[in-house]
Every structure is written in C-alpha cells, then in structure tokens.
Amino acid sequence: MDKVDKYGLRKVLARNMRIRRAELDITQEEVALRTGLTQAYLSGIEREKRNVSLDNIQKIAIALETTGASLLTSR
C-alpha cells in the first residue's frame, strides 16, 4: 500500500485556488468579498494550514467561477 499524503487535497485545493485567482486576475481580498470569508482564512487555505468545509469550498468555487470538483482535481 502506498503512503498517503494526508494533506494531498489541501495541496491540490491551495494550488488550484492560486491558479484560478491568477486566471481571473483577482486578489484574495476580492475572493473574500465574494465569499463572505476573511482574507486571513483564505490565505490559510492557500498556505495549506486550514481544513476547509465542503460549504466553504462551494463558496470559493462560486467566487472563482468554477466548481468544487475542479478545485479538488489535480491539474
């Protein structure tokens, strides 16, 4: 059995959020305004320090004009 990276999905989510924000040319602050989440919380997600709920992934996906599934899929 392969060793499982327990933070694998955190890493994928963080990377995809940064990529998608760059594609949309928006800041964490703009995502915070769109989601109602704090910029500090979003920063923690992008630094892989936060364990994010499905509800918040959905809010972030909507703000980034994508889907939750695409945020959790390796590019």
Side-chain angles (χ1 to χ4, degrees):
M1 186 167 164
D2 293 328
K3 185 176 179 181
V4 175
D5 178 2
K6 74 179 197 175
Y7 299 109
L9 282 178
R10 283 188 193 183
K11 193 171 295 196
V12 170
L13 175 62
R15 182 173 189 274
N16 287 341
M17 283 175 62
R18 288 189 303 270
I19 290 169
R20 187 65 184 142
R21 279 194 313 101
E23 290 170 350
L24 295 173
D25 193 29
I26 60 174
T27 64
Q28 286 178 349
E29 191 171 307
E30 177 62 28
V31 177
L33 289 171
R34 292 180 183 192
T35 60
L37 304 171
T38 68
Q39 185 273 328
Y41 179 76
L42 293 166
S43 175
I45 296 169
E46 289 191 8
R47 290 181 293 114
E48 304 168 34
K49 302 297 182 190
R50 294 296 203 150
N51 187 17
V52 189
S53 72
L54 291 174
D55 292 340
N56 286 339
I57 291 171
Q58 183 175 4
K59 287 178 187 178
I60 293 164
I62 292 167
L64 295 175
E65 302 170 16
T66 190
T67 65
S70 70
L71 288 177
L72 296 172
T73 302
S74 293
R75 289 189 180 206

